[in-house]
Amino acid sequence: MSAEPGALEAALRARRSQGGKALVPYLTGGLGDWQAGLAAAADAGADAIEVGIPFSDPVIDGPVIQEANDRALADGITPLAVLDALGRLDVGVPLAVMTYYNIAFRFGLERFASVLAERGVAAAILPDLPLEEAGPWTEAADAAGVETVLLAAPTASDERLGRICARTRGFVYGVGLLGVTGVRDELASSAAVMAGRLKEMTDMPVLVGVGVGTPEQAEEVCRVADGAVVGSAVVRRMLDGGPAAVGDLIGRFRRALD
């Protein structure tokens, strides 16, 4: 493990060291006025932002993010167009891209990592890349200075979670429930359990996402976790109301966590 944490991990550790809880919203790259959406989220109190690179078969994502992907792809967005735009942006918080391994593979792993680094992207989340097969990517990412955030599923054994915690960078992404992303009526009981298991294993920031859809649910899971990742609720706001609606929602999450 490198001696110095990267920009994403440093930001999340800083929030924790101040006694706060981290808020990491997700927005789909290429969806409407998405760059203004990123700025609105940062201005409203996001600690970092996850930017989705649209993919035609987003296996972990539910209907809202699939709709956003479809709309962005129909508008002609490409992975490189998202990354080039991020390279021109400075919203003041670290950015992580979330996409699927096929995109990184088609780029070439070393090229993908170097393009991320050149565009100022701090981290990458590839949810369909299993730990056992992550070596070639994590080596390329480490060499480029890109943090690889790994997901930890509720079904994983303690032994496996320990290996995930040892290999992840930036934070460890606790998956709050079994299923795809989306807003639910209540927080799954597995979310806090997941956070607790991970907190016992690692000093790395522990954030929980998937199934965290309201400020109240974020506050609930953050009684245990160091922070929350919020995706579908934010993307729904972007689809329905644009950047201003995103900023309003992130502000509500920020106040709940504070």
Side-chain angles (χ1 to χ4, degrees):
M1 188 165 175
S2 57
E4 287 297 311
L8 176 60
E9 183 184 337
L12 301 180
R13 285 185 178 276
R15 174 68 75 177
R16 184 172 70 183
S17 70
Q18 295 157 9
K21 298 295 185 176
L23 174 59
V24 180
Y26 167 99
L27 271 170
T28 302
L31 177 65
D33 193 2
W34 65 282
Q35 296 169 59
L38 297 181
D43 290 346
D47 292 285
I49 304 172
E50 205 182 311
V51 181
I53 296 178
F55 184 58
S56 55
D57 188 25
V59 291
I60 198 176
D61 289 312
V64 172
I65 293 176
Q66 288 199 19
E67 179 186 342
N69 274 344
D70 290 346
R71 199 176 291 189
L73 290 168
D75 286 343
I77 198 67
T78 65
L80 197 54
V82 172
L83 296 175
D84 284 345
L86 294 180
R88 295 188 295 269
L89 274 180
D90 181 9
V91 297
V93 301
L95 300 176
V97 297
M98 194 289 256
T99 194
Y100 291 86
Y101 184 67
N102 189 58
I103 286 178
F105 182 77
R106 288 295 300 268
F107 254 83
L109 301 182
E110 291 179 1
R111 177 174 168 243
F112 189 62
S114 67
V115 169
L116 293 181
E118 288 161 9
R119 303 307 191 272
V121 175
I125 304 169
L126 303 172
D128 60 339
L129 178 61
L131 178 67
E132 290 76 12
E133 297 173 23
W137 163 251
T138 57
E139 287 173 23
D142 286 354
V146 173
E147 297 159 88
T148 296
V149 178
L150 295 180
L151 280 73
T155 48
S157 66
D158 284 352
E159 184 272 334
R160 183 178 177 79
L161 290 183
R163 287 188 287 129
I164 289 169
C165 289
R167 181 48 264 191
T168 196
R169 303 288 182 265
F171 65 95
V172 57
Y173 193 142
V175 177
L177 52 80
L178 289 176
V180 295
T181 60
V183 178
R184 271 94 173 167
D185 292 336
E186 56 186 49
L187 187 73
S189 58
S190 53
V193 172
M194 186 79 242
R197 290 177 69 196
L198 292 168
K199 289 287 289 178
E200 287 179 4
M201 293 185 178
T202 184
D203 180 55
M204 185 69 75
V206 172
L207 276 64
V208 173
V210 186
V212 181
T214 67
E216 295 73 24
Q217 290 169 4
E219 186 273 329
E220 184 181 343
V221 80
C222 285
R223 291 173 201 166
V224 182
D226 296 315
V229 181
V230 186
S232 294
V234 180
V235 173
R236 184 78 262 163
R237 281 301 183 95
M238 187 69 189
L239 284 163
D240 293 345
V246 167
D248 175 67
L249 182 65
I250 299 305
R252 289 173 49 213
F253 273 94
R254 183 74 269 163
R255 290 188 290 277
L257 292 184
D258 290 349

